[in-house]
C-alpha cells in the first residue's frame, strides 16, 4: 500500500510564524513510513533547511491546491477567503463550528469539493480533552501584552495613544524581560501593583496567563483566580472584573452565558479596569461574554479602545493567534502533543480520534442552511458536488 502523504502548507495569516509540524515531529512521521511534503515558507519559525535536513520533501509555497487529492493538507489558521471547492482532507483550525461570522461560507467549501475537515479544535481524547492545544502559550502571550498595555496607558507621554505594533519574541526569556521592564515603567506612575484577574484560571490558557504573571514577578496576592467554582455562585456581570486593573479572559465558550462585563458595569465609580485581554477571542460569537467590543485586533494594531465616561482609558486586546508571539516554543509543544494522533492518520477511518472528528464535520455540514446546501447531494453522510451556490 502506498505511503500516506502529509502536506504542510505555508501559513498566510500576517504575523503567523507557528507551524503544525516541526522538524522533530516530521522526522518521527518519516520514520513511521509517512511521506511528508513541506511548503517553503518565508514566515515559518523553522527554516526550510531544518525540514530538508530530516528528510522531508520541500515543495513550492502555496502549492497545496494542486496536490494530489489523496494528500492530507495540514496547517494551523484558516484558509484565505476564497470560494473554490476544497477537494482535499484538511487538518486545521477552521473557526466555523460555533456560529462564527461567515461560518457557512467557510464550511460549505469542503462538501462542495468532496473535501473533509478535521478541525484541530475538536480533536479530543477518550476523556473529551483536546489532544493538542496552544492554550498555555495563548494565555502566556495575552497576559504579557496586557501588562505592556497597562504600563503604556499610565505613561503621560503615551496615554491616549494607540499601542504600537508587536513583533514575535525568540523565546520566553526575552518576552519576560520585556514585561518586567514594562512593569517597572508602569510602577513609576502608580502607587500599587496591578491586580490581574484571570477568568478560567484552572485551564491551560489560564495557567499560561498566571505563569506569565509569576515569571514577571507579580505577587500571588495581585492575581485574582476565577473558574467555574466562582462563576457558578452567581451570574455575571461581575464587579470584581471592573475593580481589577487587568482582566484576562481564558474560558472556553461552549454555550450561552451571561456577560462577564458590559457597558453598565464599566460605568461603576469603582472601575480601575484599563486593559481587557480576551484570549478566548469569541469576537463574532453571538454569545461573546465580553460584549464591549466587536472586532479582532492584530499584532500590527494590538488594541481597540472602548468608550468610557471617565479615566482610566480602557483598551481591549483580541488577537486570535496570540501564541505566535512565541512561535517556536508554542509550535514545539503543540506538534509534540499532536504527533500520537498524526501517527494514526493512515488508519483514520478506524481510529476514534479521527472518526469522531469526521462525524462532527458531517454533523456540521448537515446543519448548513438551504442556500449553502444548494448544489450538493448528500448520500450516506458524504457530499457529492453538483455545483456551487
Amino acid at each position: 500500500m502506498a505511503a500516506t502523504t502529509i502536506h504542510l502548507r505555508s501559513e498566510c495569516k500576517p504575523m503567523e510564524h507557528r507551524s503544525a509540524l516541526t522538524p522533530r515531529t516530521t522526522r518521527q512521521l518519516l520514520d513511521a513510513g509517512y511521506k511528508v511534503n513541506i511548503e517553503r515558507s518565508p514566515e515559518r519559525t523553522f527554516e526550510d533547511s531544518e525540514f530538508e535536513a530530516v528528510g522531508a520533501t520541500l515543495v513550492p509555497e502555496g502549492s497545496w491546491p494542486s496536490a494530489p487529492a489523496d494528500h492530507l493538507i495540514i496547517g494551523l489558521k484558516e484558509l484565505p477567503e476564497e470560494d473554490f471547492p476544497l477537494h482535499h482532507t484538511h487538518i486545521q483550525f477552521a473557526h466555523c463550528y460555533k456560529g462564527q461570522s461567515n461560518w457557512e461560507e467557510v464550511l460549505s467549501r469542503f462538501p462542495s469539493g468532496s473535501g473533509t475537515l478535521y478541525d484541530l479544535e475538536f480533536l479530543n481524547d477518550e476523556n473529551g480533552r483536546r489532544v493538542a492545544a496552544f492554550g498555555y502559550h495563548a494565555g502566556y502571550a495575552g497576559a504579557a501584552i496586557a501588562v505592556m498595555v497597562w504600563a503604556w496607558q499610565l505613561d503621560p507621554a503615551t496615554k491616549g495613544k494607540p499601542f504600537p505594533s508587536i513583533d514575535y519574541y525568540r523565546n520566553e526569556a526575552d518576552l519576560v524581560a520585556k514585561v518586567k521592564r514594562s512593569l517597572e515603567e508602569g510602577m513609576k506612575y502608580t502607587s500599587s501593583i496591578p491586580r490581574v484577574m484571570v477568568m478560567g484560571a484552572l485551564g491551560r490558557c489560564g495557567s499560561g496567563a498566571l505563569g506569565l504573571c509569576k515569571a514577571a514577578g507579580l505577587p500571588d496576592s495581585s492575581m485574582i483566580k476565577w473558574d467555574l467554582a466562582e462563576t457558578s455562585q452567581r451570574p455575571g456581570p461581575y464587579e470584581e472584573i471592573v475593580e481589577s486593573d487587568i482582566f484576562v479572559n481564558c474560558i472556553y465558550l461552549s454555550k450561552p452565558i451571561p456577560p462577564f462585563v458590559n457597558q453598565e458595569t464599566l460605568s461603576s465609580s469603582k472601575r480601575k479596569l484599563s486593559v481587557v485581554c480576551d484570549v478566548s477571542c469569541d469576537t463574532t460569537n453571538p454569545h461573546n461574554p465580553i460584549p464591549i467590543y466587536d472586532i479582532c485586533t492584530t499584532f500590527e494594531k494590538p488594541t481597540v479602545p472602548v468608550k468610557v465616561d471617565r479615566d482610566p482609558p480602557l483598551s481591549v486586546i483580541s488577537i486570535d493567534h496570540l501564541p505566535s508571539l512565541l512561535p517556536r516554543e508554542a509550535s514545539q509543544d503543540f506538534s509534540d502533543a499532536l504527533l500520537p494522533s498524526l501517527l494514526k492518520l493512515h488508519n483514520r477511518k478506524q481510529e476514534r480520534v479521527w472518526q469522531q472528528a469526521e462525524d462532527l464535520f458531517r454533523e456540521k455540514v448537515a446543519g448548513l442552511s438551504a442556500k449553502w446546501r444548494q448544489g450538493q447531494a448528500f448520500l450516506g453522510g458524504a457530499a457529492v458536488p453538483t455545483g456551487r451556490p
Side-chain angles (χ1 to χ4, degrees), residues 26-156:
T26 296
R27 174 73 271 172
Q28 290 171 287
L29 287 166
L30 291 166
D31 288 345
Y34 288 85
K35 180 175 172 57
V36 183
N37 293 339
I38 306 290
E39 287 189 11
R40 296 180 182 275
S41 172
E43 298 295 331
R44 191 183 293 127
T45 188
F46 303 100
E47 298 290 340
D48 296 340
S49 58
E50 294 182 74
F51 288 100
E52 191 173 37
V54 299
T57 301
L58 297 182
V59 296
E61 180 182 7
S63 61
W64 65 265
S66 60
D70 62 344
H71 287 197
L72 307 178
I73 312 300
I74 188 169
L76 288 179
K77 298 303 291 183
E78 61 273 18
L79 296 170
E81 292 184 4
E82 306 278 359
D83 61 3
F84 62 87
L86 297 172
H87 305 293
H88 297 90
T89 292
H90 287 260
I91 304 167
Q92 65 180 67
F93 291 100
H95 305 297
C96 63
Y97 280 4
K98 298 193 291 185
Q100 294 96 328
S101 176
N102 300 323
W103 73 272
E104 290 188 296
E105 292 92 324
V106 173
L107 182 59
S108 63
R109 295 179 63 192
F110 294 93
S112 290
S114 293
T116 301
L117 169 64
Y118 292 137
D119 197 308
L120 289 166
E121 184 177 350
F122 299 92
L123 290 185
N124 297 325
D125 63 18
E126 295 84 353
N127 300 313
R129 185 173 173 83
R130 287 170 62 177
V131 299
F134 283 102
Y136 184 87
H137 284 95
Y140 200 95
I145 298 173
V147 173
M148 295 181 208
V149 173
W150 169 82
W152 173 270
Q153 293 185 162
L154 286 171
D155 188 340

Side-chain angles (χ1 to χ4, degrees), residues 155-374:
D155 188 340
T158 54
K159 183 178 178 180
K161 296 180 180 179
F163 190 75
S165 62
I166 309 170
D167 202 354
Y168 71 95
Y169 287 79
R170 294 179 302 170
N171 52 54
E172 289 182 7
D174 285 356
L175 177 59
V176 169
K178 169 59 178 175
V179 174
K180 285 182 174 180
R181 290 195 298 271
S182 293
L183 271 174
E184 291 174 2
E185 288 298 314
M187 292 293 291
K188 293 178 181 178
Y189 308 106
T190 182
S191 58
S192 59
I193 296 171
R195 286 167 55 83
V196 181
M197 183 170 183
V198 177
M199 187 72 79
L202 297 181
R204 287 169 168 149
C205 182
S207 297
L210 294 171
L212 180 281
C213 291
K214 186 178 295 186
L218 287 174
D220 194 69
S221 59
S222 71
M223 304 177 214
I224 306 166
K225 308 166 189 176
W226 275 36
D227 212 279
L228 288 174
E230 288 74 23
T231 56
S232 62
Q233 292 179 13
R234 68 182 196 274
Y238 301 106
E239 67 227 16
E240 289 87 348
I241 292 176
V242 298
E243 293 172 7
S244 303
D245 296 284
I246 297 170
F247 174 52
V248 185
N249 179 40
C250 297
I251 71 158
Y252 180 80
L253 184 65
S254 59
K255 61 182 180 181
I257 59 174
F260 293 150
V261 62
N262 57 22
Q263 288 294 340
E264 183 178 353
T265 55
L266 293 180
S267 299
S268 169
S269 61
K270 297 181 180 179
R271 180 177 69 86
K272 295 179 61 182
L273 185 67
S274 63
V275 182
V276 172
C277 182
D278 190 3
V279 181
S280 302
C281 214
D282 288 301
T283 312
T284 64
N285 190 309
H287 307 299
N288 179 12
I290 308 177
I292 59 174
Y293 76 102
D294 58 6
I295 65 168
C296 282
T297 62
T298 65
F299 284 106
E300 184 178 359
K301 296 181 178 179
T303 62
V304 58
V306 176
K307 187 176 181 179
V308 289
D309 54 15
R310 61 175 184 81
D311 278 347
L314 176 60
S315 296
V316 172
I317 302 156
S318 56
I319 300 170
D320 67 2
H321 57 135
L322 282 166
S324 281
L325 197 65
L326 291 167
R328 197 171 187 94
E329 288 156 316
S331 297
Q332 288 169 337
D333 286 355
F334 180 85
S335 194
D336 284 349
L338 185 61
L339 180 64
S341 298
L342 294 178
L343 289 169
K344 299 175 182 178
L345 275 170
H346 69 286
N347 195 33
R348 59 190 176 279
K349 295 298 182 181
Q350 284 73 46
E351 291 290 344
R352 184 204 54 77
V353 65
W354 298 110
Q355 187 177 46
Q356 190 176 52
E358 184 164 347
D359 289 346
L360 181 60
F361 166 69
R362 301 296 176 195
E363 175 188 322
K364 296 298 182 179
V365 166
L368 288 168
S369 63
K371 172 186 176 181
W372 295 103
R373 293 184 65 175
Q374 180 184 2

